[in-house]
Amino acid sequence: MTPDDHPQSAALDDAEAAYLERRAESLTELGADPDERAVEAALRPRSLDEVIGQHRVREQLSLVLEAARSRERTPDHVLLSGPPGLGKTTLAMIIAAEMSRPLRLTSGPAITHAGDLAAILSGLNEGDVLFVDEIHRMSRPAEEMLYLAMEDFRVDVIIGKGPGATAIPLEIPPFTLVGATTRAGLLPGPLRDRFGFTAHLEFYEPAELDEIVRRSAGLLGVPADPEGTAEIASRSRGTPRIANRLLRRVRDYAQVRSDGVVTRDIAHRALDLFEVDHSGLDRLDRAVLDVLCRRFGGGPVGVSTLAVAVGEERETVEEVAEPFLVRVGMLARTPRGRVATPGAWTHLGLSAPAGAPFAVDETLFEAD
Ligand SMILES: Nc1ncnc2c1ncn2[C@@H]1O[C@H](COP(=O)(O)OP(=O)(O)OP(=O)(O)O)[C@@H](O)[C@H]1O
Ligand SMILES: [Mg+2]
């Protein structure tokens, strides 16, 4: 196989199509239809200045990019980690935009063979930004090829099979890899170490989410009063994507049941209807707590068991529900399994049975 047999642009298009399809699927799981995806894209900040919150990451990134610009070099590889919907894809797009370079998109699951990656890499131009979403799901051989590409801007393309196989080294132009992962812990050390800069995205504060909701309401032309946006922000699980989604649901409610203005009362009623509680917990979050407390007496229980009990994939429980429950102090991860904290019992309106295995954390001491 020569590169001519396998036009690189076609391979890239395939990778992009596969990437977009997967993203579409996971967004559908999150309840978005194609229209909503278009809205989500329209709400994405386009430059670092437009990004709300994440001050530290923004400052660090802006420094890395500015330094690269002034040296006229491609910036170091960047790893973005954090729970879904906090802005990893947004930042990847911004990195390319700030460097005035095209962004190539692909994702770990789309790269099943090292050859897929070789095709993508050999199609890059100098300075391109290659975004690999869900980089922790890449196949092992592709990962090993990526080590070499990141460090030496070179890949070994294997031609043929068995004893007759030969490795042909292929130079690739300097590029910037931007990897995104919801599970930095699953990345092998050698891969993690090859990123020059790692940004951990944190959940957003209510005031930041409020700013995001106000910005989005402005862009969507939705009239909203400050108490209305604050109510949405406080129930958004610290997550911009959720804030934007809740805004759209509240807007629907306001249009159909009221005069179209998002007020606190309208937000309140709409979010109750969509089963988002006052702490921002959604059905899955509550299901996890419910099973943990009612069926397993507060734990400890393994995450796989928990996932089966709520009828979800283990990854969804681990990557979507748990980080927020941990953050709000309702769930603790212990070596023996997941444990409900006193906050979880209170939230469910239950009293913990005597001997419930509370994890030792500050909430225990504060409660005294
Ligand atoms: N800092 C921010 N300021 C304003 N809006 C933001 C910010 N971060 C994210 N958003 C909004 O949230 C939406 C989701 O962000 P994004 O797609 O970048 O998340 P992600 O981290 O890539 O999620 P996933 O892990 O599911 O891929 C974006 O469409 C954007 O509108
Ligand atoms: Mg993303």
Side-chain angles (χ1 to χ4, degrees):
M1 182 182 77
T2 69
D4 286 335
D5 293 332
H6 209 124
Q8 292 143 0
S9 57
L12 242 186
D13 288 349
D14 286 351
E16 285 195 24
Y19 163 78
L20 290 172
E21 194 161 310
R22 247 204 72 79
R23 290 301 309 151
E25 273 168 21
S26 64
L27 284 174
T28 314
E29 276 165 29
L30 294 166
D33 64 24
D35 270 0
E36 304 230 319
R37 291 202 291 279
V39 172
E40 179 161 313
L43 297 178
R44 258 186 223 292
R46 303 273 159 202
S47 66
L48 272 183
D49 287 340
E50 271 186 64
V51 170
I52 294 164
Q54 306 293 351
H55 299 288
R56 187 175 299 263
V57 165
R58 220 168 58 193
E59 203 173 324
Q60 293 167 337
L61 201 53
S62 124
L63 188 80
V64 169
L65 298 183
E66 200 175 322
R69 267 197 304 264
S70 73
R71 287 197 304 267
E72 294 181 20
R73 299 288 296 268
T74 53
D76 246 350
H77 306 301
V78 177
L79 180 65
L80 304 167
S81 82
L86 298 193
K88 297 182 294 297
T89 301
T90 303
L91 283 177
M93 292 179 166
I94 288 175
I95 291 173
E98 297 270 337
M99 298 307 293
S100 311
R101 299 299 312 179
L103 179 76
R104 304 286 188 189
L105 311 167
T106 186
S107 75
I111 305 176
T112 43
H113 304 289
D116 300 337
L117 183 65
I120 294 170
L121 292 172
S122 58
L124 293 175
N125 296 312
E126 180 164 349
D128 281 2
V129 177
L130 174 65
F131 177 48
V132 182
D133 206 356
E134 300 182 84
I135 194 166
H136 61 279
R137 298 205 181 162
M138 217 162 43
S139 75
R140 184 44 65 97
E143 215 168 71
E144 278 163 14
M145 175 179 276
L146 192 58
Y147 298 162
L148 202 60
M150 290 170 81
E151 210 158 60
D152 298 338
F153 298 107
R154 176 171 76 84
V155 291
D156 286 332
V157 181
I158 311 288
I159 309 282
K161 281 203 169 116
T166 36
I168 302 196
L170 182 71
E171 295 266 328
I172 44 180
F175 67 100
T176 298
L177 176 72
V178 179
T181 178
T182 44
R183 303 288 303 280
L186 292 185
L187 280 190
L191 181 55
R192 226 176 6 208
D193 294 346
R194 282 171 170 77
F195 285 98
F197 170 55
T198 299
H200 294 284
L201 301 191
E202 304 287 345
F203 285 110
Y204 291 65
E205 297 300 329
E208 294 163 351
L209 290 166
D210 190 24
E211 207 179 325
I212 291 173
V213 175
R214 278 186 276 126
R215 172 180 175 272
S216 300
L219 290 172
L220 297 174
V222 177
D225 70 24
E227 288 183 330
T229 56
E231 181 70 21
I232 296 173
S234 70
R235 297 207 204 184
S236 300
R237 294 178 99 251
T239 308
R241 175 182 292 135
I242 295 179
N244 286 336
R245 192 164 70 229
L246 296 184
L247 170 66
R248 300 197 295 269
R249 294 295 72 79
V250 175
R251 171 202 59 187
D252 294 349
Y253 190 96
Q255 280 172 357
V256 175
R257 299 277 161 85
S258 168
D259 58 358
V261 180
V262 172
T263 62
R264 172 142 112 199
D265 180 51
I266 290 291
H268 203 86
R269 283 195 267 153
L271 296 174
D272 283 350
L273 179 67
F274 287 100
E275 299 179 275
V276 176
D277 71 23
H278 59 268
S279 305
L281 269 57
D282 61 18
R283 286 170 62 119
L284 175 61
D285 299 321
R286 278 195 306 275
V288 168
L289 290 186
D290 210 65
V291 160
L292 184 57
C293 293
R294 287 184 214 265
R295 202 174 312 168
F296 296 103
V301 58
V303 63
S304 307
T305 311
L306 212 49
V308 171
V310 299
E312 268 298 346
E313 300 282 329
R314 178 195 163 123
E315 283 76 28
T316 310
V317 171
E318 257 183 326
E319 293 167 28
V320 179
E322 282 190 354
F324 184 68
L325 292 173
V326 169
R327 147 86 187 235
V328 293
M330 295 195 194
L331 180 137
R333 291 170 163 152
T334 73
R336 294 177 50 225
R338 276 41 176 184
V339 172
T341 65
W345 293 94
T346 313
H347 190 79
L348 294 176
L350 301 171
S351 47
F358 289 150
V360 178
D361 65 11
E362 284 102 19
T363 42
L364 250 191
F365 300 112
E366 278 168 16
D368 284 338

